[in-house]
């Protein structure tokens, strides 16, 4: 083992379930683990568990993890095709994406366009005037949903109810790339707004298959995709690197950012609307739960005895004042006076809650949706900026129109609730008088008199709720009430008749007004739930078009066959499934932006690591450059001369690889000798000289890594003694590193244990030494009074400070 290393082991922890994937947060000392049970567990650097996210279903497994670049959102890709965006604070699901086929890879990148950075001083004012959201000045804040129903058990505070997607503090555009097992890569701005679909079947690349990795350069100009395709035989696999030019995406990133922000707001409001309707449905179910069960029981008895119908009994009681024997028994023994009062109070309270949700929640959120859709419509009319992205004014206008129709439906529902409350109160008052009369109890004078209007209300209630009788095939013999039909995903059974409305009559008779696009259409027979579903569908149809247009604009600039792998064993059990190690990263210099892809071509541990790179700007047919790296004896030979007690292995194999930062590759190596140790190493990219890369022509038929003309460089001598460490007493299988947090986590081959490291400890120690010298100069007087400083306590404090997880 080297005498010194800049890697400091901080801990070694046992994991209860086998770990499949690990991923460090880029901004905080947090690590996400996915296990074989499909769970995602978030730990701090101290290994304190933050939360556990259960899988969507028992058979669903996690296939990929990716952090948003600010570290506040974690994307989890599942075998079912679902991608969940989780709030890092409490694991709340912020958004859900549905991808066709299994998710195979996730990558979250943040644009850092040089033009924007260079023009920050004089371009700030221009960017502000280009688009600025002023909705907060015109729209009221949405009221927080009630916590009495399950849908809002994890609702955010009132300050964040309008930012449930966590987009408010996003300054730079970030894009989530999702690859699947069926030839597709999908791009989502901020992880929610679709901004591109790359379907290899629709591209003239003739190379399709499972997406192993996908990466977009940080200047948004180059998309590289690693694809695994079937070879000529059943046991042969071919690996390709496909390069796509994304000029439209890069040239319209400001417009995409504005659209994505708007889409995030609309998506947030649609979710709020859905939760409101769900709460209304739950409140409606509570309204008549008790009465429904009693009336159904009464109706079933009437049906079994063939002694008439429920509606006939109530109508006879209303007209003649004499109940049937069955109805009298029901009123006196089933419903009872006390039960009627309790039920009436419960119904009135629930109706009031629904009414408040319509007035405060539904109408407010529908106004907000309409406002933002009109904003997007204005963008769509600017063809040079937004129209070229596929944003259609006609489609957006259709969404605006349907949002207006939804607002009209909420007004209609409000009127129905008002009418139903009047009828309910009249019906319950009448039933109370009947029960009092049948019980020979005194009747209050104010209730004893019924006006003709009261009789009409009772008759309307009976007509609305007791016209459908049980026929043996239904579980309920009547509709119960008119409000409930609006909260079902089916056409209204009893739509509101607006034919006598003066405005409706005027529109029908006016040839100029009735066909005006400024009027919102009235969907008479649709329920509120149907309108909600259709509104979401229309909005998606309008706002998903840029995804198709940008996807079609991607131009394939290169197809490179990187490797060919053939199983040598006829039995699958005798040979491991080959999963290449792949890591991609964008390296920006003063004049050139390179997209790097490092990969292996053999099962781990393997001999060679290949590094491919492309210029993101100005793609050419021969732009791909490839070099191979091997690992002999780590460190300069001079370091071990005259040191008999230092043993270094002469040859190493590669277990895993990952980019640490723009200048450094991190590797997990295995000493190629009996009982060889695992080695954690940092390799500078500068060890691979520019002149040693081989230029590869596009669309060549020969596999790039099969030839002998790829330069193989032994980079081990370039690894400084401080930049590698032998890991004793462990057999490792993989690892993850974070250059921003300067941490590493190595996974044991059992997948049930991990070892944690702080990287670049030497720099931190130098800073600590300076602080200690300053503290010492200021504390001499205190030391003379209080005695020697407790060194053990200092060490413990330093350890805790170095192990802190705050970002």
């Amino acid at each position: 083992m080297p005498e010194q290393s800049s890697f400091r082991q901080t801990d070694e922890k046992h994991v209860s379930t086998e770990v499949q994937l690990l991923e460090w947060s880029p901004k905080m000392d947090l690590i996400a683990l996915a296990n074989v049970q499909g769970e995602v567990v978030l730990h701090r650097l101290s290994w304190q568990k933050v939360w556990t996210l259960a899988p969507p279903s028992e058979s669903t497994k996690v296939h990929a993890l990716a952090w948003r670049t600010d570290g506040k959102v974690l994307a989890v890709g599942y075998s079912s095709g679902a991608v969940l965006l989780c709030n890092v604070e409490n694991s709340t699901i912020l958004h859900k994406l549905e991808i066709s086929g299994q998710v195979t890879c996730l990558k979250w990148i943040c644009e850092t366009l040089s033009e924007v950075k260079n023009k920050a001083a004089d371009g700030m004012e221009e960017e502000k005037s280009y688009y600025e959201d002023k909705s907060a000045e015109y729209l009221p804040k949405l009221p927080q949903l009630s916590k009495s129903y399950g849908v809002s058990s994890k609702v955010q505070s009132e300050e964040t109810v309008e930012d449930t997607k966590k987009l408010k503090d996003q300054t730079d555009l970030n894009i989530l790339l999702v690859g699947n097992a069926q030839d597709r890569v999908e791009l989502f701005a901020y992880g929610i707004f679709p901004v591109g679909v790359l379907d290899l079947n629709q591209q003239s690349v003739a190379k399709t298959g499972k997406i192993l990795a996908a990466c977009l350069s940080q200047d948004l100009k180059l998309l590289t995709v690693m694809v695994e395709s079937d070879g000529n035989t059943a046991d042969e696999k071919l690996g390709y690197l496909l390069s796509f030019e994304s000029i439209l995406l890069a040239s319209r990133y400001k417009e995409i950012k504005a659209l994505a922000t708007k889409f995030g707001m609309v998506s947030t409001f649609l979710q709020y609307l859905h939760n409101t309707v769900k709460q209304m449905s739950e409140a409606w179910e509570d309204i008549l739960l008790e009465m429904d069960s009693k009336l159904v029981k009464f109706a079933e008895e009437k049906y079994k005895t063939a002694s008439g119908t429920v509606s006939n009994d109530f109508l006879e009681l209303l007209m003649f004042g004499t109940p049937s024997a069955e109805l009298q028994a029901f009123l006196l023994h089933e419903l009872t006076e006390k039960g009627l009062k309790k039920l009436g109070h419960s119904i009135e309270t629930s109706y009031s809650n629904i009414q408040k949700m319509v007035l405060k929640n539904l109408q407010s959120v529908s106004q907000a949706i309409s406002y933002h859709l009109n904003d997007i419509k204005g963008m769509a009319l600017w063809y040079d900026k937004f129209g070229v992205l596929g944003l259609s004014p006609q489609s957006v206008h259709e969404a605006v129109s349907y949002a207006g129709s939804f607002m009209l439906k909420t007004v209609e529902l409000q009127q129905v609730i008002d009418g139903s409350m009047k009828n309910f109160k009249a019906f319950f008052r009448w039933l109370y008088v009947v029960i009092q009369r049948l019980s020979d109890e005194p009747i209050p004078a104010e209730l004893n008199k019924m006006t003709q209007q009261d009789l009409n209300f009772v008759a309307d209630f009976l007509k609305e709720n007791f016209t459908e009788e049980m026929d043996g095939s239904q579980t309920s013999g009547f509709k119960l009430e008119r409000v409930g039909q609006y909260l079902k995903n089916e056409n209204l059974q009893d739509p509101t008749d607006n034919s006598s409305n003066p405005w409706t009559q005027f529109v029908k008779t006016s040839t100029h007004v009735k066909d005006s696009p400024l009027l919102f259409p009235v969907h008479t027979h649709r329920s509120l739930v149907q309108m909600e579903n259709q509104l979401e569908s229309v909005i998606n149809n309008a706002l998903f078009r840029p995804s198709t247009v940008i996807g079609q604009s991607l131009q394939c600039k290169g197809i490179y066959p990187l490797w060919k792998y053939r199983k040598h064993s006829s039995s699958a059990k005798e040979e491991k499934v080959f999963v290449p190690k792949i890591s991609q990263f964008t390296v920006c210099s003063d004049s050139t932006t390179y997209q790097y892809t490092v990969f292996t071509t053999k099962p781990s541990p393997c001999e060679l690591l290949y590094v491919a790179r492309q210029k993101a700007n100005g793609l050419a047919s021969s732009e791909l450059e490839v070099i191979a790296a091997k690992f002999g004896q780590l460190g300069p030979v001079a370091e071990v001369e005259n040191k008999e007690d230092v043993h270094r292995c002469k040859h190493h194999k590669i277990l895993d690889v990952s980019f640490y930062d723009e200048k450094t590759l991190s590797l997990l190596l295995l000493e190629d000798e009996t009982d060889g140790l695992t080695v954690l190493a940092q390799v500078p990219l500068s060890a691979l000289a520019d002149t040693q890369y081989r230029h590869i022509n596009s669309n060549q038929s020969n596999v790039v890594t099969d030839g002998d003309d790829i330069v193989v460089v032994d980079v081990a001598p370039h690894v400084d003694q401080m930049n590698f460490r032998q890991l004793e007493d462990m057999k490792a299988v993989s690892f993850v590193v974070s250059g921003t947090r300067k941490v590493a986590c190595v996974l044991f081959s059992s997948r049930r244990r991990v070892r944690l490291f702080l990287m670049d400890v030497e720099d931190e120690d130098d800073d600590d030494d300076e602080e200690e010298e300053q503290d010492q100069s200021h504390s001499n007087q205190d030391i003379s009074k209080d005695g020697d400083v407790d060194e053990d306590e200092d060490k413990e404090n330093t350890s805790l400070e170095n192990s802190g997880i705050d970002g």
Side-chain angles (χ1 to χ4, degrees), residues 131 258-259 262 375-383 386-387 391:
Y131 173 74
L259 272 178
K262 279 296 179 186
D375 238 8
I376 296 174
K377 181 181 176 181
M379 296 177 182
L381 293 172
W382 193 354
Y383 180 81
F386 295 92
L391 199 61

Side-chain angles (χ1 to χ4, degrees), residues 403-564:
S405 298
F406 184 85
M407 284 192 287
L408 294 180
K409 186 61 69 172
T410 63
V411 174
E412 179 184 313
L413 176 57
Q414 180 62 39
Q415 294 172 348
V416 170
I417 291 175
D418 290 339
S420 293
M421 287 188 72
K422 293 177 183 177
N423 295 344
F424 252 118
K425 288 180 179 180
F427 176 72
F428 273 75
R429 187 164 56 244
W430 170 67
L431 269 189
Y432 177 75
V433 171
V434 169
I435 292 176
Q436 290 294 89
R437 185 179 295 118
L438 293 175
S439 304
D440 295 327
E441 297 289 339
I443 303 171
E446 65 273 12
L447 299 178
N448 200 18
K449 296 180 180 179
M450 285 192 68
T451 64
Q452 184 61 42
Q453 187 180 34
D454 292 334
L455 288 175
N456 290 338
F457 285 154
V458 175
D460 288 340
F461 177 84
L462 295 175
K463 177 184 176 182
E464 293 169 1
N465 298 284
F466 295 94
T467 55
E468 292 184 8
E469 295 301 335
M470 183 165 288
D471 61 2
S473 62
Q474 305 177 71
T475 57
S476 178
F478 32 83
K479 293 183 292 184
L480 295 180
E481 51 116 1
R482 289 188 65 202
V483 175
Q485 63 177 342
Y486 284 84
L487 303 175
K488 298 178 182 178
N489 191 19
E490 57 186 42
N491 286 339
L492 299 177
Q493 299 298 316
D494 187 15
T496 303
D497 183 11
N498 293 319
S499 58
S500 60
N501 185 291
W503 172 253
T504 303
Q505 293 176 347
F506 169 73
V507 171
K508 285 184 177 180
T509 57
S510 174
T511 56
H512 298 288
V513 176
K514 66 179 181 180
D515 296 325
S516 172
L518 300 177
L519 294 183
F520 299 142
V522 178
H523 301 277
T524 306
H525 295 279
R526 290 185 180 176
S527 67
L528 187 73
V529 174
Q530 286 179 317
M531 295 287 291
E532 175 207 344
N533 294 336
Q534 186 62 24
L535 175 62
E536 183 174 0
S537 176
V538 172
I539 289 175
N540 288 342
N541 179 60
L543 300 187
F544 282 17
R545 292 192 174 207
S547 176
T548 303
V549 172
I550 294 175
Q552 293 173 347
S553 72
L554 297 174
Q555 298 183 14
C556 184
K557 293 296 184 179
I559 303 174
Y560 308 95
L562 295 184
W563 75 81
K564 179 191 295 182

Side-chain angles (χ1 to χ4, degrees), residues 55-85:
S57 63
E58 186 176 350
S59 60
T60 304
K61 305 301 180 185
V62 179
H63 281 190
L65 297 171
W67 287 89
R68 198 170 75 181
T69 51
D70 62 358
K72 294 183 178 181
V73 179
L74 174 67
V76 184
Y78 291 94
S79 56
S80 61
V83 179
L84 301 183
L85 305 189

